[in-house]
Amino acid sequence: MKVLVPVKRVVDYNVKVRVKSDGTGVDIANVKMSMNPFDEIAVEEAVRLKEKGAVTEIVAVSCGVAQCQETLRTAMAIGADRAILVETDAELQPLAVAKLLKALVDKEQPGLVILGKQAIDDDCNQTGQMLAALAGLPQATFASKVEVADGAATVTREVDGGLETLRITLPAVVTTDLRLNEPRYVTLPNIMKAKKKPLETLKPADLGVDVAPRILTLKVSEPPKRGAGVKVPDVATLVARLKNEAKVI
């Protein structure tokens, strides 16, 4: 079985994000970029499924600028067999990415698509669900455990009330949650091997997809700074302040 694993290049989670002075977006100049942590979990899960013998080939996919090749090389260092980059300088929104992935699903015919539940830059949590809808595939989101056998996947997913277990027929789309696994450390020998693995580059036009943005960002601003705390002499004063100043009761 072939597994398709989409990965996204984002600002590293350790970096303090800064907003551009003109409010048009986030400043990424000279900022460390890395693979989206949820996507890293997805790659790790695909590799574990391959180690169990349930998967024969892992294809990593990324959509974006040429530097996304670095992210794909990281995916191949973790264990992906080959990679595909859909290269474009356009601003890619979730629907456009889902359409590109749908075209690649038609082209590659994977038995499973496994991707992060959301990206840490825009937090949209939409691409996996949109892909499942466009491709007409069953889906299981927020997975904390995945088992594949007999042409089906049993997925334990995290919901507000606890855990829910689904059984879905393959091919299917699964999105990963934090507790699914802990990605392995990438070793230097595997990084060197990844440089020799095949990486195919396509354009959105090659897949017949229009990636023009449909949502316009009007302004990006930082959240207001938290004010200093105050001490109150008694409970009555606290209640009065919560009621009259904070207006939360």
Side-chain angles (χ1 to χ4, degrees), residues 52-64:
K52 291 177 184 176
V55 170
T56 55
E57 184 182 26
I58 301 169
V59 184
V61 178
S62 192
C63 306

Side-chain angles (χ1 to χ4, degrees), residues 5-249:
V5 188
V7 296
K8 186 177 183 181
R9 178 176 181 262
V10 298
V11 175
D12 190 87
Y13 68 93
N14 287 313
V15 173
K16 181 172 172 30
V17 176
R18 296 170 305 195
V19 174
K20 291 180 181 177
S21 57
D22 58 4
T24 57
V26 173
D27 186 5
I28 59 172
N30 301 316
V31 170
K32 182 184 178 184
M33 307 291 283
S34 61
M35 186 190 300
N36 178 46
F38 290 103
D39 296 339
E40 198 172 2
I41 291 169
V43 177
E44 172 66 26
E45 190 63 23
V47 174
R48 292 188 185 190
L49 288 172
K50 185 178 180 183
E51 289 171 346
K52 291 177 184 176
V55 170
T56 55
E57 184 182 26
I58 301 169
V59 184
V61 178
S62 192
C63 306
V65 295
Q67 290 89 331
C68 291
Q69 291 186 33
E70 301 167 11
T71 308
L72 289 170
R73 293 293 179 195
T74 301
M76 289 190 285
I78 295 173
D81 298 296
R82 60 186 175 92
I84 301 172
L85 170 62
V86 183
E87 187 178 344
T88 176
D89 292 327
E91 177 195 351
L92 290 176
Q93 294 171 353
L95 181 58
V97 176
K99 287 181 177 179
L100 291 170
L101 294 178
K102 159 66 165 60
L104 289 171
V105 165
D106 292 341
K107 180 173 179 273
E108 294 287 336
Q109 295 293 309
L112 179 66
V113 181
I114 183 165
L115 65 162
K117 69 172 184 177
Q118 65 194 72
I120 62 171
D121 52 1
D122 55 23
D123 273 340
C124 282
N125 185 8
Q126 295 174 342
T127 305
Q129 292 89 328
M130 287 178 170
L131 171 60
L134 290 171
L137 297 175
Q139 62 175 311
T141 55
F142 316 135
S144 59
K145 185 178 180 182
V146 178
E147 295 177 343
V148 176
D150 302 325
T154 303
V155 181
T156 302
R157 57 188 303 267
E158 300 192 357
V159 296
D160 290 341
L163 298 176
E164 178 183 67
T165 302
L166 302 177
R167 182 177 171 85
I168 53 177
T169 55
L170 300 178
V173 176
V174 173
T175 70
T176 64
D177 214 327
L178 278 175
R179 277 165 285 278
L180 179 58
N181 61 52
E182 185 173 340
R184 68 195 63 193
Y185 179 75
V186 180
T187 62
L188 183 58
N190 286 338
I191 292 173
M192 300 307 292
K193 288 177 186 175
K195 293 181 179 179
K196 297 179 181 178
K197 291 182 179 180
L199 193 158
E200 181 183 2
T201 302
L202 302 171
K203 298 287 185 183
D206 299 334
L207 300 171
V209 177
D210 176 18
V211 296
R214 285 164 170 75
I215 300 172
L216 176 65
T217 301
L218 301 179
K219 185 181 180 183
V220 177
S221 58
E222 292 188 13
K225 287 185 169 53
R226 184 175 176 179
V230 293
K231 289 184 178 180
V232 293
D234 51 44
V235 174
T237 309
L238 172 62
V239 172
R241 287 201 170 198
L242 290 174
K243 184 176 181 180
N244 300 321
E245 295 180 21
K247 299 188 185 300
V248 294
I249 59 173

